[in-house]
Amino acid sequence: MSVARILAARILAIAFVLAGVLAGLFSPPALAQSLEDMLAGLTDDPKAAIQMLIAAEDEKAKAAAAALAKGNLFIRIEDNAVVIAEKDGEQYVITNALTGEIEAMASAEELQAIVLDDEAKALLGGAGDAAAQDAGPFDFATGVKALNAEGFAEKGKAIEKLTALGDGRAIPVFQALADGRLFSRKSDGAVVIGDRSGNDVRLTMAETLEPAGIVAPDTLDVIFVNNNLRNVLREAIGRLGLLSAEASTRTGAAKALLDGITPDAVALLREAYAKESIAYVKEAMALALAAAELSDPDKARRLAAVAVLGSSSDMRVRALLQSRLGQEQDAEVKAAIAAAFDRIQTKLTLMGYAENLVQGISLGSVLLLAAVGLAITFGVMGVINMAHGEMIMLGAYSAYVTQEIFRAMLPPSWIGAYLIAALPVAFLVAAAVGVAIERGVIRFLYGRPLETMLATWGISLGLQQAVRMIFGAPNKEVANPEWMTGAIELAGGFAVTWNRLYIILFCFAVLGLIALILHRTSFGLHMRAVTQNRAMADVMGIPTARIDAMTFALGSGIAGMAGVALSQIGNVSPNLGQIYIVDSFLVVVFGGVGNLMGTLVGALTLGIVNKFLEPIAGAVLGKVVVLIFIILFIQKRPRGLFAAKGRAADA
């Protein structure tokens, strides 16, 4: 290559470099910078940064520009992060402007305002209103989408507009938003209502209220609201619900207005009260009106309101009266409030006793399910089976496996039937394991109770470890079918959940089935014969070894079904059986070994006593008191409440 060519190439390269430098010096700042650079530029060169934020296509940049125009963009002093801060009471709700994530709340002292001169403010122009501009006519679908706005102010405007539409479809959407069950689907940004379905979330489209399938939680983003918006939502639900054609919706709306109501809502409530014809709905509306009139300037109205509120048994009314008691100046009204408060307190105390009774029966039914299988094996065979709890655990895991099979292989509409299918599966699995234990170990140890206890304890540890190896140590969640969710509300916040009620009914059904087997089948006759006199039964040709195996299978299978029931009120884990094994033995010993009636009475007695002792002595100390009582009771009646007969009594 000649010297001339080399020289020309170098001159050309220098020219390109100079051209680049001059272009950088005299050209306007590039808009294609990162959001982080734009936000950092607000303190160095605010005007250039504002230009880039407004021109950027990034939604976070637009949200930052809108917040800056409204005076809601700050620098957090702790880490110099640029944040969007919206006031919520005395604190500020913080959204990281860079990531868009809601972070810990902050006080005014922790934030530094971004100060702009007049030129920079002029550049913002209408940026503060850009996010609120309507793309077209406002309808229900547009309002639902607007609930997913970046700022709480925009969400509040969407709530107000949806309320003004008067569309009853907004009630479940507002309720989901207030409860934290309203989501934005990551795949398409659609606003959906989500309800837990095991480890997944069952979706309903917020715009149409139609089912939208079941998805994993990590595919959704929660739509957040602050406390101020929750109050707005509560009143909006009340106002919309009062216009509903459904009596239950109108009742719920009146109850929602009990916590707080504006003058406009009071007028609407009065109008709805005048038109209402159903007694229980009218009563709920009267209660909400009385709550609104409790602070009325007219003394006569306040006294009338106190009289209405005093007939309630709602804890919110009690709190309302207690709050008003310290504010009331008139002596007569104050005395009336105090008397009404005492009446409500007495009602709530009595209802507390009733609630403890129902919870005690519920706990007793759980103990009965756990103990009835043990009552058969321990009572008939005299075997101290320390692996009985693991039969319960196997039943619970059978329910979990059945649930997963239904989810994987059947349509979503069938998922509610998995629990029915899980009952025979759990019975067969636990019964098969029970027969294997009896035939493989226990039959060689009859008459040696200590060795039997140690052997079954070792088996229990082995079963726990086997389950950990197969399913892992973490808890498994078994979802309640839709027909077992919810509760029956009786009064004053006292409610009985459907899953507990079904378990109570199920345990009595199981007990009745066992009684039928024992007294109306040949197997039951043979089992009772072996119980009363094994040698004579053997002489009479009854296959005692087979009866032992079948008895152990029956007791284990019932424990497996108990595990299915217990999976509906708690998580499933390898240690599930250990929670109930001691209580099961206490029930069997207290009621009388081998006696079904004794098991029933013992379980219900221990359950009710435990629930009444817990508020007084605490859960742990209450169990200690019950244990001491049983020890003392056994000293006086070694055979329990209902003494067993035959071989069990002679042993």
Side-chain angles (χ1 to χ4, degrees), residues 324-344:
R324 184 62 193 173
L325 192 60
Q327 303 170 8
E328 183 59 55
Q329 301 299 321
D330 188 280
E332 183 182 356
V333 179
K334 195 166 188 174
I337 293 174
F341 179 84
D342 290 340
R343 287 198 301 274
I344 293 176

Side-chain angles (χ1 to χ4, degrees), residues 111-174:
L111 303 173
Q112 177 184 337
I114 296 177
V115 181
L116 302 176
D117 57 24
D118 292 338
E119 291 184 31
K121 290 178 181 177
L123 286 173
L124 284 168
D129 300 322
Q133 291 175 354
D134 292 333
F138 188 89
D139 57 10
F140 182 74
T142 305
V144 168
K145 291 176 182 176
L147 293 175
N148 193 27
E150 289 287 341
F152 292 133
E154 288 80 7
K155 292 176 183 176
K157 291 177 183 177
I159 294 169
E160 291 175 8
K161 290 182 178 181
L162 280 171
T163 306
L165 285 178
D167 194 326
R169 291 178 296 171
I171 295 176
V173 178
F174 285 170

Side-chain angles (χ1 to χ4, degrees), residues 120 235 256 306 333 335 429 465 495 616:
E235 183 169 335
V306 171
V333 179
V429 169
Q465 190 58 37
I616 302 171

Side-chain angles (χ1 to χ4, degrees), residues 371-454:
V372 69
L374 187 65
I376 293 174
T377 55
F378 189 29
V380 173
M381 306 174 68
V383 173
I384 303 176
N385 180 19
M386 297 300 293
H388 180 77
E390 278 54 52
M391 302 299 107
I392 298 174
M393 179 261 292
L394 289 176
Y397 274 98
S398 298
Y400 169 73
V401 172
T402 305
Q403 170 190 262
E404 297 305 303
I405 291 173
F406 266 65
R407 282 180 177 169
M409 302 181 65
L410 295 174
S413 58
W414 287 44
I415 188 65
Y418 88 88
L419 193 63
I420 306 300
L423 288 172
V425 171
F427 181 89
L428 293 174
V429 169
V433 174
V435 170
I437 293 173
E438 197 279 334
R439 291 286 86 189
V441 177
I442 291 176
R443 74 187 182 102
F444 301 108
L445 301 174
Y446 284 130
R448 295 147 70 180
L450 181 59
E451 293 181 27
T452 304
M453 184 173 65
L454 291 175

